[in-house]
Amino acid sequence: MLQFFSKYKYFGIVLLVLSAIIISVMYQALSPKKVLPVYQPDDVATELVDSTVQYVRKYHTIAPFSLTNQNGETITEAHYEGKIYVADFFFTTCQTICPIMTDHMAKIQKELQNDSEVLLLSHTVTPEIDTVAQLKRYAQKKGVNDAKWNLVTGDKKQIYDLARKSYLAAKDVPYSEYDLIHTENFVLVDRQKRIRGFYDGTDPEAIDALLEDIAILKQEE
């Protein structure tokens, strides 16, 4: 009996290895691959969406824009062409959620510092205060990498429209023209300018989830 097992020992080992490989391949084939949703205005809470686009159910993308960054450079949608990016809304004098959000953006910047496929974009909601010079001081204080992360200011109506009609990430201020209350949302945008996720920019676990979803999005496209 011992001689029998000894004779076929190597055959058994090979068979076990092959079986393990086959089972692994079958498991991967049968396991559903995570795909991020494509968000439309109709999917988002109405308080965050301008009434003109609330019932849009398909083909929503980020609208063209032209804003000015911390270095006085004009930044348009062309700067993000073919890129995945994370967008948010903030203001430099905010003492509540903004510092936390900015620190978390800095974490994303650090994690993806060598990844040229992913960029960051932060819009001020108080452009009358956040001039180019103010944004530059803030960027230097927060360790912003100019090649990776744009802090932008510009026309208030344009920023208002971007927040509520494109990124779906801010609440309207009743009875005040082109004023808004930004949320803590980080918005993940894909290479086709579509929204693929919303994340609480004050929650460390949500930031980890965002980084994981960026990796998924890179594989998808």
Side-chain angles (χ1 to χ4, degrees):
M1 182 65 72
L2 291 175
Q3 289 181 341
F4 175 82
F5 283 114
S6 176
K7 183 177 180 181
Y8 293 99
K9 177 176 65 176
Y10 295 109
F11 174 77
I13 292 172
V14 171
L15 186 61
L16 284 172
V17 171
L18 286 174
S19 298
I21 293 171
I22 292 169
I23 291 171
S24 177
V25 170
M26 290 180 63
Y27 177 80
Q28 292 179 9
L30 294 173
S31 297
K33 187 177 180 180
K34 183 178 179 181
V35 177
L36 302 183
V38 177
Y39 286 91
Q40 307 296 331
D42 186 66
D43 299 320
V44 181
T46 56
E47 64 180 0
L48 301 176
V49 184
D50 190 85
S51 61
T52 60
V53 297
Q54 280 178 359
Y55 301 104
V56 173
R57 296 183 177 180
K58 56 184 179 180
Y59 307 131
H60 178 74
T61 57
I62 306 304
F65 57 87
S66 181
L67 297 164
T68 306
N69 76 356
Q70 66 268 25
N71 296 313
E73 301 166 337
T74 298
I75 300 298
T76 72
E77 70 282 357
H79 184 84
Y80 292 85
E81 190 70 32
K83 303 290 186 180
I84 296 167
Y85 70 98
V86 181
D88 76 333
F89 292 82
F90 80 113
F91 58 105
T92 62
T93 55
C94 169
Q95 299 299 316
T96 54
I97 63 174
C98 296
I100 302 171
M101 293 170 64
T102 303
D103 287 346
H104 282 154
M105 273 288 198
K107 176 184 177 180
I108 297 170
Q109 175 185 257
K110 182 178 179 181
E111 291 289 333
L112 302 174
Q113 59 185 336
N114 297 319
D115 189 338
S116 62
E117 296 181 58
V118 184
L119 299 176
L120 308 177
L121 178 61
S122 295
H123 312 71
T124 178
V125 298
T126 59
E128 67 277 12
I129 297 172
D130 289 333
T131 61
V132 169
Q134 175 71 358
L135 289 180
K136 185 64 176 179
R137 287 190 291 270
Y138 191 79
Q140 291 173 337
K141 179 181 177 181
K142 296 296 183 179
V144 170
N145 176 356
D146 293 340
K148 190 79 171 176
W149 184 1
N150 287 300
L151 312 182
V152 291
T153 188
D155 178 70
K156 192 167 187 176
K157 182 181 184 303
Q158 182 181 182
I159 293 170
Y160 175 95
D161 285 343
L162 283 168
R164 291 185 49 76
K165 294 182 181 182
S166 281
Y167 294 102
L168 320 176
K171 299 177 183 178
D172 192 20
V173 178
Y175 315 115
S176 181
E177 188 175 31
Y178 309 134
D179 279 331
L180 49 81
I181 302 171
H182 73 94
T183 66
E184 67 279 3
N185 282 340
F186 284 4
V187 184
L188 178 59
V189 181
D190 69 15
R191 293 184 177 92
Q192 283 77 49
K193 302 183 179 69
R194 302 174 299 179
I195 295 175
R196 304 304 296 273
F198 296 95
Y199 310 83
D200 183 343
T202 66
D203 181 357
E205 292 184 0
I207 302 306
D208 290 340
L210 169 55
L211 289 167
E212 291 175 3
D213 284 353
I214 288 173
I216 291 169
L217 197 55
K218 288 179 64 177
Q219 292 177 356
E220 174 186 318
E221 301 177 341

